[in-house]
Amino acid sequence: MSVPDYMQCAEDHQTLLVVVQPIGIVPEESFFRIYKRISAVSQVNVRDSQRVLYIRYRHHYPPENNEWGDFQTHRKVVGLITITDCSSAKDWPQTFEKFHLQKEMYGSTLYDSRLFVFGLQGEIAEQPRTDVAFYPSYDECETVEKRIEDFIESLFIVLESKRLDRATDKSGDKIPLLCVPFEKKDFVGLDTDSRHYKKRCQGRMRKHVGDLCLQAGMLQDSLVHYHMAVELLRSVNDFLWLGAALEGLCSASVIYHYPGGTGGKVGSRRAQGGSLSAEAGNRHRPGALTSNGINADTSAEIGRAKNCLSPEDIIDKYKEAISYYGKYKNAGVIELEACVKAVRVLAIQKRSMEASEFLQNAVYINLRQLSEEEKIQRYSILSELYERIGFHRKSAFFKRIAAMQCAAPSIPEPGWRACYKLLLETLPGYSLSLDPKDFSKGTHRGWAAVQMRLLHELVYASRRMGNPALCVRHLSFLLQTMLDFLSDQEKKDVTQSLESYTAKCPGTMEFITLPDGLKLPPVPFTKLPIVRSVKLLNLPTSLRPHKMKSLLGQNVSTKSPFIYSPIIAHSRGEERNKKIDFQWVQGDVCEVQLMVYNPMPFELRVENMGLLTTGVEFESLPAALSLPAESGLYPVTLVGVPQTTGQITVNGYHTSVFGVFSDCLLDNLPGVKTNGCTVEVIPALPRLQISTSLPRSAHTLQPSSGDEISTNVSVQLYNGETQQLIIKLENIGTEPLEKLEVTAKTVNTKEKLYGDFLSWKLEDTLSQFPLKPGKIATFIVNIKVKLDFSCQENLLQDLSDDGISVSGLPLSSPFRQVVKPRVETKPLNPQESSKVGDFSHVKMLEAILNFKYSGGPGHVEGYYRNLSLGLHVEVEPSVFFTRVSTLPATSTRQCHLLLDVFNSTEHELTISARNNEDLILHAGECQRMAIQVDKFNFESFPESPADGTQFANTKQLEEERQQAKGLEINSKLDICWKIPSLKREGEASVEGVLNQLVLEHLQLAPLQWDILVDGKLCDCDIVVDCKVGDPIPLEVKLTNWSKHSVGPFALTVTPYQDYQNGVHNYDLQDAITFVGSNTFYIDSVKPTKDSVYFGALLFLYTGDFYLNIKFHEDNCSRELPLSWFCLPSVHIRAMEPVVQTKP
């Protein structure tokens, strides 16, 4: 026997072998449809008996194997069923002749045969025949199963007769010697009468009868016969048949111990047969068995248990039988099949190590030169058996050999599809799956080198199958999962192969369904490149949306009276992981930053890299990047535009690497750090872009609030200069700009500013709103720098060192004095120069203009944007006031303000004040200018009710009052400077220059004295003319502008003459006389009230007379300041009366 049956199992020893074959031309589909129905009748209850017959069907069986039917009766073909397609009566004789020829092939062993004819109708079909069945078609054959059952019953009758014939002890008859094919030539010439020969014949016959009993369903009888055969054959050293008897004993014991069977389908049929025989349970005869191996007779059960082998003895007997088979090289197939049967039994007993020994023995059994198909079958069965005993890697090893055998070079047409299918079945044995998710968790399982070899073989088989999509999928899987185990050269080779395949068939994220239904999942390249972190970026500062504060303030539910609560902290942590605390805006470009790493030893080109999102319609803007070899962490920014509003979740990213498109989800990347993946998209807002008339500044402002400045501009101004900043507001978005608010804030300066630094009129700009997309509005800001114009002490020291006198001028000096220019003398040591005053030091002023704007759907939802403009102003000094003093004027309500002005620029400068001529100052020149000003009534300023609360102490309040006084004085002076060569001009402020003494001199006294002579107000240089001899009315009026009542006062009027040489003549009793008293008594005057007193003078001589009014020193006048009693001078000119001549 040369063809092994690898599907053999121990329970097959009790089956009858029936061959089903076609005759003539029969469609394959029709044949196997009938064959399937026939093979379904695999066990039949014998009529009027408890026994069950088991049938084993084969559609192909080598005739040479049939020659071993005497050795083991289950190998003998006892039944033949032929199927033919005959459509006409003319073909019937030829068909029937073929049936007889087919019977002759197995004629020596056949018990019975049947011919099923399909398609023949008429007289021939109507003739009753037992060996032929006629059916109109393959669809109209309902009685096939019944015919098969009748056929099996006929087989049973023949089997039973043979059993009874062989089992009957006929001592007078000579027992024939049963032989296997290769023994016949060895027994020629032997002595047939010897005791040894007779025992051999008896032993072999006993073993043969045991086989027949087992096939006939008589398990107990077979055990008895097998035991007797073992004893007889052992005594004559008939090892081949002794092995067969031991194997028969093992098979019968296996049938008893394992009624479910040791092979898959056989066991299921046996379990089904148990239900069929249960009906005949009451008709058991002694020694008979039910189909599930339970004897109803207790005494028979005891006897069978004695003859039956234990599970351990079964394996020992199998080992012994196989050792006997091994003595005969022609019994290799028998030995191989015995090993397979023993392994199946050991698999049920879960004795894997012993089973592996049997399998290892089976591997080394030498058979004849096997065909390639037989080799594939052998290795496949070995693989399945190793799988059954739990040797998965060993199973995969033999299955891979079978796969390679399918594509052996000796095969004219290699079966690459079968090779590929077998290779797929080897994957679990090598801890390999085709799902990349299994390789993203934990450490690598299995031998990477073997796995890579297997994946390469899958790629090669796919290519030979002509399926480039499979090649790309397996190569992608190899590169993704085995990247850490590939050498640099292997990485290059694999990627080159992958690029060559993807040029024909790009890799996709679709499942690939194989013909057998297996689906290959997609392989995203999560390691090309490796992503370490994903961070959703906030919009640029100028584009970030802000929520308008509601009247109710923050949500009360977010507040808690506790400083810390673990429950709240935990819930907020979870929320932070889900949602980010900033928003994106519909229609604006949003960014996600990835930190990536290129693990390849060469430059990695990543194309079409973009974001994968859910929740909001999102337009991803793909990017292409090139990462250098082993680049380390490299930042990559992916951008996109949300088209709708709501919650958007960034699930991952997509790439195209080496022609493979990948969708990489963050859930499958456990090592990736992220600040959260969900963000809110709010409705669209307008976008404002500003451009200015000033140049951009290289200096960037850093406000304390941390806000970023989108644009920085710079300008250089002289102190006191004003310049217009023209800002163009352009709506570069898609929504109309409806609302605009502008605020300004000065930052990073210690300098004291006077007046409004920045001023504007927003109404002119708002009149151009709403600003449609693409439109431009103009916004004008006035920049006015007014710093302190006073000169520091160190500058005064410098000027004094240069011989310039800027203080202590005599009162008789002219109001203007030209001072010589200061000589430039700089010390050699630069550190010393920094100690002295640098009057040309440039000061810096920085401010931020903040534009708060909104519009469109975002405005409806209560959102706005901020845009900031940084303003950097370099202030160069223009003029300094080095000294300030006052001189009294001729009028008590006026005085002269003396200012020493220093030109600190490098250009000629003119300075002017209200009602004054221009004063020209050369570079570095100092001159004095005098300005006649009216005194100020500071006490008339109303005090704000908030003054007391705004200023914490009296000192601050006094400083604020002094500043207000300086502002009032400066507004009346109107001091301006011009630089003609630069065509630049500005203001000069004295606010920071005026000290308390000067302010007192400039302040109008609270007690206002008015003196009228002859009805004319006397002040300054006014001269009142009168006539000698006429009484002149004298009127004194006191107005109290102080906060308290004043008086009573007493004052005396004394006339005198000024000789203009320093001599005053008060002895004028003969020149002037008073009408009444020359002393005026004034009662108490309440605040804001006045009091008027009258008198008269009589001049007796002509001349210029002056009136000196003195106060009496009493308690009331002594309590008030002397400056409150400043009365105007009175100049009266007495002239001769005009004599009128009569005509």
Side-chain angles (χ1 to χ4, degrees), residues 8-52:
Q8 285 265 327
C9 51
E11 52 268 25
D12 286 344
H13 283 250
Q14 67 177 346
T15 61
L16 297 175
L17 180 59
V18 176
V19 175
V20 183
Q21 290 185 336
I23 294 178
I25 301 175
V26 179
E28 184 177 357
E29 180 182 356
S30 301
F31 170 76
F32 279 103
R33 187 168 52 169
I34 300 300
Y35 176 79
K36 184 177 181 181
R37 293 179 61 183
I38 292 173
S39 59
V41 188
S42 58
Q43 54 192 30
V44 177
N45 278 17
V46 179
R47 192 178 305 169
D48 300 330
S49 172
Q50 181 63 28
R51 289 181 279 174
V52 180

Side-chain angles (χ1 to χ4, degrees), residues 1 714 796 828:
M1 189 169 68
S714 62
L796 290 175
L828 299 178

Side-chain angles (χ1 to χ4, degrees), residues 98-288:
K98 291 180 180 179
F99 172 57
H100 280 288
L101 292 175
Q102 196 74 13
K103 285 198 297 182
E104 291 177 359
M105 185 181 300
Y106 305 102
S108 59
T109 60
L110 286 180
Y111 293 172
D112 200 356
S113 60
R114 292 287 185 274
L115 173 62
F116 288 175
V117 182
F118 292 89
L120 185 61
Q121 297 179 356
E123 297 180 0
I124 299 175
E126 294 174 358
Q127 296 176 2
R129 301 175 63 98
T130 57
D131 58 343
V132 181
F134 295 95
Y135 296 101
S137 66
Y138 291 102
D139 297 326
E140 301 177 14
C141 52
E142 294 81 4
T143 61
V144 168
E145 288 81 0
K146 183 66 174 63
R147 292 268 188 172
I148 297 300
E149 291 178 2
D150 296 340
F151 172 66
I152 293 173
E153 286 188 3
S154 69
L155 294 180
F156 173 72
I157 294 172
V158 178
L159 172 64
E160 186 68 9
S161 64
K162 285 183 177 292
R163 182 189 68 80
L164 294 174
D165 182 53
R166 301 290 174 89
T168 304
D169 186 9
K170 300 177 181 179
S171 58
D173 296 342
K174 190 175 183 180
I175 301 173
L177 178 65
L178 301 175
C179 299
V180 295
F182 71 86
E183 286 183 322
K184 293 179 179 179
K185 60 182 179 179
D186 296 336
F187 291 150
V188 177
L190 288 179
D191 184 8
T192 56
D193 296 330
S194 65
R195 183 182 179 89
H196 187 277
Y197 181 81
K198 289 182 179 180
K199 276 193 173 183
R200 175 177 290 182
C201 293
Q202 290 175 357
R204 293 189 178 189
M205 185 56 70
R206 282 290 178 187
K207 186 267 171 193
H208 181 66
V209 173
D211 288 347
L212 294 176
C213 291
L214 190 60
Q215 285 183 311
M218 301 175 66
L219 183 61
Q220 180 184 357
D221 292 351
S222 68
L223 286 170
V224 173
H225 288 295
Y226 284 139
H227 276 290
M228 293 175 63
V230 168
E231 293 176 1
L232 289 170
L233 294 172
R234 196 187 298 278
S235 64
V236 294
N237 292 333
D238 191 356
F239 295 118
L240 181 60
W241 285 77
L242 175 59
L246 290 171
E247 187 181 356
L249 185 61
C250 292
S251 298
S253 301
V254 169
I255 292 169
Y256 169 71
H257 284 292
Y258 309 107
T262 60
K265 295 183 179 180
V266 176
S268 63
R269 291 200 300 268
R270 288 181 56 80
Q272 182 182 356
S275 63
L276 296 175
S277 61
E279 300 175 356
N282 296 328
R283 296 185 285 119
H284 281 192
R285 64 173 179 82

Side-chain angles (χ1 to χ4, degrees), residues 479-622:
L479 196 58
Q480 168 69 18
T481 59
M482 303 295 167
L483 185 64
D484 298 336
F485 304 99
L486 292 172
S487 65
D488 290 351
Q489 186 59 41
E490 287 174 334
K491 291 178 181 176
K492 294 179 181 178
D493 296 341
V494 171
T495 52
Q496 288 176 359
S497 301
L498 184 59
E499 287 180 321
S500 65
Y501 287 129
T502 53
K504 303 174 183 177
C505 179
T508 65
M509 288 297 294
E510 302 294 332
F511 278 84
I512 297 179
T513 304
L514 300 178
D516 58 355
L518 180 65
K519 291 186 177 181
L520 298 185
V523 182
F525 277 156
T526 58
K527 294 184 179 180
L528 295 174
I530 298 174
V531 177
R532 295 298 186 194
S533 66
V534 176
K535 182 180 182 182
L536 276 66
L537 300 182
N538 199 351
L539 293 174
T541 307
S542 59
L543 297 181
R544 292 176 188 172
H546 303 274
K547 185 72 172 178
M548 296 181 184
K549 294 181 180 180
S550 63
L551 296 177
L552 297 177
Q554 297 180 347
N555 192 354
V556 180
S557 62
T558 61
K559 297 181 180 180
S560 172
F562 301 102
I563 297 175
Y564 171 76
S565 171
I567 300 176
I568 296 176
H570 179 68
S571 64
R572 288 176 180 172
E574 290 181 350
E575 181 67 21
R576 189 162 51 247
N577 290 333
K578 295 178 181 178
K579 185 180 176 183
I580 304 175
D581 57 357
F582 57 77
Q583 294 90 24
W584 285 351
V585 180
Q586 173 189 358
D588 282 3
V589 176
C590 305
E591 298 179 336
V592 177
Q593 187 182 68
L594 279 66
M595 297 302 293
V596 301
Y597 168 69
N598 174 20
M600 305 300 279
F602 50 85
E603 184 181 25
L604 181 66
R605 292 187 56 83
V606 183
E607 300 174 355
N608 195 33
M609 191 172 188
L611 295 172
L612 298 175
T613 61
T614 56
V616 167
E617 183 180 345
F618 187 80
E619 179 188 358
S620 178
L621 305 177

Side-chain angles (χ1 to χ4, degrees), residues 824-1069:
E824 293 289 339
T825 57
K826 296 185 179 179
L828 299 178
N829 191 347
Q831 292 183 354
E832 294 180 1
S833 75
S834 64
K835 295 178 183 178
V836 299
D838 184 7
F839 52 85
S840 63
H841 176 65
V842 177
K843 296 179 180 180
M844 305 296 178
L845 292 179
E846 294 177 338
I848 297 175
L849 274 172
N850 186 51
F851 297 85
K852 178 179 175 181
Y853 65 96
S854 183
H859 174 64
V860 177
E861 296 295 328
Y863 289 95
Y864 66 91
R865 277 177 166 158
N866 275 331
L867 184 61
S868 298
L869 172 66
L871 180 61
H872 183 77
V873 182
E874 296 180 359
V875 183
E876 295 188 11
S878 52
V879 296
F880 284 119
F881 296 113
T882 61
R883 181 181 181 274
V884 180
S885 60
T886 59
L887 281 178
T890 55
S891 171
T892 58
R893 300 191 183 185
Q894 292 182 335
C895 73
H896 293 285
L897 182 64
L898 304 182
L899 298 173
D900 291 347
V901 187
F902 177 75
N903 178 12
S904 62
T905 68
E906 298 177 354
H907 308 276
E908 184 180 89
L909 180 144
T910 62
I911 189 165
S912 63
R914 184 179 297 176
N915 301 324
N916 274 50
E917 296 180 2
D918 292 349
L919 179 65
I920 299 177
L921 295 175
H922 298 285
E925 184 180 8
C926 183
Q927 290 192 32
R928 175 169 293 171
M929 65 183 300
I931 306 173
Q932 181 175 323
V933 295
D934 295 331
K935 291 186 178 182
F936 300 89
N937 184 12
F938 296 130
E939 297 296 334
S940 64
F941 290 172
E943 293 187 2
S944 172
D947 287 347
T949 58
Q950 184 176 1
F951 305 102
N953 51 48
T954 308
K955 183 178 180 181
Q956 291 182 352
L957 180 59
E958 188 62 32
E959 289 179 357
E960 183 65 20
R961 286 179 177 174
Q962 185 169 343
Q963 183 177 348
K965 295 176 182 178
L967 180 62
E968 176 70 13
I969 295 172
N970 190 68
S971 63
K972 296 293 180 64
L973 295 179
D974 195 17
I975 303 175
C976 299
W977 56 262
K978 291 182 181 180
I979 302 178
S981 61
L982 300 179
K983 295 182 180 180
R984 298 173 72 169
E985 61 183 17
E987 300 178 11
S989 173
V990 297
E991 294 179 50
V993 182
L994 303 175
N995 52 34
Q996 186 63 34
L997 180 61
V998 173
L999 289 175
E1000 290 180 359
H1001 289 171
L1002 292 176
Q1003 183 174 357
L1004 193 64
L1007 298 184
Q1008 181 178 333
W1009 300 91
D1010 295 318
I1011 298 178
L1012 288 82
V1013 177
D1014 197 14
K1016 294 181 180 179
L1017 184 64
C1018 296
D1019 198 3
C1020 299
D1021 297 330
I1022 296 177
V1023 179
V1024 180
D1025 296 330
C1026 63
K1027 296 179 180 179
V1028 177
D1030 293 339
I1032 305 301
L1034 177 64
E1035 181 180 345
V1036 178
K1037 181 180 180 181
L1038 171 61
T1039 305
N1040 181 13
W1041 292 111
S1042 68
K1043 297 179 180 180
H1044 308 283
S1045 298
V1046 294
F1049 302 117
L1051 52 90
T1052 301
V1053 179
T1054 305
Y1056 70 93
Q1057 282 185 316
D1058 187 358
Y1059 296 144
Q1060 300 297 325
N1061 58 358
V1063 177
H1064 291 177
N1065 180 20
Y1066 288 92
D1067 187 14
L1068 299 176
Q1069 291 86 354

